[in-house]
Amino acid sequence: MARPTIVTVDDDPQVSSAITRDLLTRYGQDYRVVRTTSGPEALDVLAQLALRDDPVALILTDQRMPEMTGTEMLEQASTHAPQAKKVLLTAYADTEVAITAINEIGLDHYLMKPWDPPDERLYPVVDDLLGDWQREHPDHTGDLRVVGHRWSERSHELKTFLARNHVPYVWYDVERDDEGARLAGLAGAGPDELPLVLMPSGSTLRSPTTLDLAGALGLNTAAQQPLYDVCIVGGGPAGLAAAVYAASEGLSTVVVEREAPGGQAGQSAAIENYLGFPRGLSGSDLAQRALAQVRRFGAELVVARDVVALEERGPVRAVVLDGQSVVEARTVIVATGVSYRRLPAGGTDALTGRGVYYGASASEAAQCQDDVVYVVGAANSAGQAVLNFAKYAKRVVLLVRGASLEASMSRYLVDRIEAHPGIDVRLRTQVTECRGDGHLESLVLRDEAAGLEEQVDTDWLFVFIGAAPRTDWLDATVARDGNGFVVTGPDLAAAWPLPRAPYALETSLPGVFAAGDVRLDSMKRVASAVGEGAMAVHLVHRYLATV
């Protein structure tokens, strides 16, 4: 694979020379930097690179040029380099143009001129964009291979685990790919031994659990210390934020996550209302950025382990993992978030993982190429998923139990869904039955307004309904409401055991805090979860100062 290319465009020789020089200084070892002096010249260069199938990672262009503006050039450049990151160099007067370009042509970032010093004003932005591009375009020569069946629940589980932990892999279906059938034959694998995971080292895992796979990948699946200042259960936005603040403030910190960093938010195709990201970012991107911070400050991350109990052992709180291993800490932050509620329709359980799925990562949309996809839900997570599926599917049908989307979904998502020609919204409609032999083949829908039922053919149903907190493992150790949400702070009332008042996010067990969606009356927003994660660490310090 050729070195990826960075293309610069500026008609001012002095500015063009300066930006090219700065980019070469920082990125010249890993990228080719090609300098052009006009929009037409840049488009010619991009066309030549496309013909050679050479990757273009980033295009950085001035806005004000005589023959063609920067935004005009970037719009046309998408024909030749649709996946390149796009950056606009602007003067202060062009800020509105840049913001419009974010919405209209997918501009990734705009920079004010001059960008001196580049260490502060240029390189951090370009580092992030090139890092994102590299994650989206890994070199697949060392990837592991997964061989399985399209409608296998275990195959779907492993693929999701790999994608959410940012492990590149190549997927082969034994029924649809000749190479998949060949590999399964070479391994002598029967149907019960699928999926196979073929490691780059040459070893073969046969129908592994996620814990087996995590161990084979070298991911951390056990705590390394006998005692921590804080154990954070859950690696979603609240848990990762708590880990960043705790570790950066000198607390020995461990995060236990049963699936992958990012939580439910990590599956989102686009989070567009998160402060500081005017173009939005994917949940996977947010999780990866947060995880880099967690590791930078020295917090441990334990993955693929389920927490089954919480015990009070004098001044220590013990988090019991599956397999009976234990993580002991002076304090605990419960940030396990929520999962989607099960769909109360006949046949659903038998077809889960075989065409019926709860939630969906952004990467899963491509598997629905040219198919008809049905999505159940009416909150932002469903709206973001529908828009992502619409990039690939022939048609996407959003099934909404209520009489409108506006009551539960942000306006910006409603507007995009209503304007998209490939999306149908069916209000007051529910799934009453899922049908299929071995995998989903059809749905029975009930139109509540008309009182009629119909059967529709589809291989895909994605469910985004409600929020069920992951708190069964707490049992009676911590007070919860009737729906399982953790009760904290002033709401504890008689459940609080100490003379002092509980801290705002403290549970009925002193020294155990709750943050994010798992907490009763939380806002169920990414930003509020991050804020509560940070706030929980502040309260941990207060608690530790008193014991």
Side-chain angles (χ1 to χ4, degrees), residues 119-450:
D119 285 335
E120 296 179 11
R121 302 183 61 184
L122 175 65
Y123 296 149
V125 170
V126 177
D127 284 350
D128 274 351
L129 293 175
L130 292 179
D132 291 346
W133 187 89
Q134 287 284 5
R135 286 189 290 272
E136 295 163 4
H137 302 81
D139 178 1
H140 291 290
T141 55
D143 288 354
L144 58 80
R145 293 166 291 170
V146 181
V147 182
H149 190 283
R150 184 187 193 196
W151 305 120
S152 160
E153 184 175 4
R154 175 59 63 82
S155 293
H156 179 263
E157 179 185 4
L158 294 184
K159 289 193 295 178
T160 300
F161 179 82
L162 292 169
R164 296 193 60 201
N165 282 280
H166 310 286
V167 179
Y169 70 94
V170 179
W171 162 251
Y172 296 102
D173 189 311
V174 292
E175 290 190 349
R176 307 174 78 188
D177 302 319
D178 292 340
E179 180 66 4
R182 187 184 75 86
L183 291 170
L186 288 174
D192 293 339
E193 295 179 295
L194 297 178
L196 298 176
V197 179
L198 308 177
M199 305 294 292
S201 63
S203 62
T204 300
L205 306 181
R206 298 171 184 265
S207 190
T209 65
T210 53
L211 181 59
D212 293 335
L213 180 56
L217 292 169
L219 301 178
N220 192 25
T221 60
Q224 304 301 305
Q225 299 182 31
L227 180 67
Y228 297 85
D229 290 322
V230 58
C231 174
I232 300 163
V233 184
L240 293 176
V244 168
Y245 282 93
S248 67
E249 293 169 11
L251 298 177
S252 57
T253 305
V254 62
V255 181
V256 180
E257 168 55 47
R258 71 174 187 172
E259 294 174 352
Q264 195 179 87
Q267 300 182 58
S268 176
I271 303 171
E272 298 185 75
N273 55 0
Y274 191 68
L275 185 66
F277 293 86
R279 195 188 170 215
L281 74 169
S282 70
S284 174
D285 188 16
L286 177 62
Q288 198 159 26
R289 291 168 185 261
L291 187 59
Q293 288 179 294
V294 168
R295 287 172 171 156
R296 174 191 170 199
F297 289 119
E300 286 184 32
L301 178 67
V302 174
V303 298
R305 299 300 299 272
D306 216 355
V307 176
V308 298
L310 175 65
E311 298 177 358
E312 181 180 11
R313 300 180 178 178
V316 171
R317 307 293 178 252
V319 173
V320 183
L321 309 183
D322 53 345
Q324 297 304 305
S325 59
V326 174
V327 179
E328 292 191 336
R330 299 167 69 196
T331 62
V332 171
I333 297 175
V334 178
T336 44
V338 296
S339 56
Y340 295 111
R341 287 205 304 264
R342 311 302 283 184
L343 184 68
T348 303
D349 290 344
L351 296 173
T352 297
R354 298 175 171 86
V356 177
Y357 305 99
Y358 290 87
S361 64
S363 61
E364 288 180 292
Q367 68 182 333
C368 304
Q369 185 82 41
D370 299 326
D371 289 343
V372 177
V373 175
Y374 283 77
V375 176
V376 179
N380 281 5
S381 55
Q384 290 157 350
V386 163
L387 290 167
N388 190 46
F389 283 123
K391 298 175 185 176
Y392 302 93
K394 178 169 64 177
R395 186 165 59 95
V396 182
V397 182
L398 178 61
L399 305 175
V400 179
R401 183 176 60 178
S404 73
L405 279 177
E406 289 82 352
S408 54
M409 188 180 293
S410 295
R411 183 73 245 178
Y412 74 94
L413 289 172
V414 175
D415 290 342
R416 292 185 186 178
I417 288 171
E418 290 178 343
H420 199 294
I423 298 174
D424 297 334
V425 179
R426 297 187 57 170
L427 302 174
R428 299 193 64 186
T429 301
Q430 298 191 58
V431 178
T432 60
E433 189 176 357
C434 299
R435 296 175 177 174
D437 182 10
H439 66 88
L440 180 66
E441 295 174 311
S442 64
L443 303 172
V444 178
L445 307 180
R446 178 174 177 80
D447 185 327
E448 299 293 350

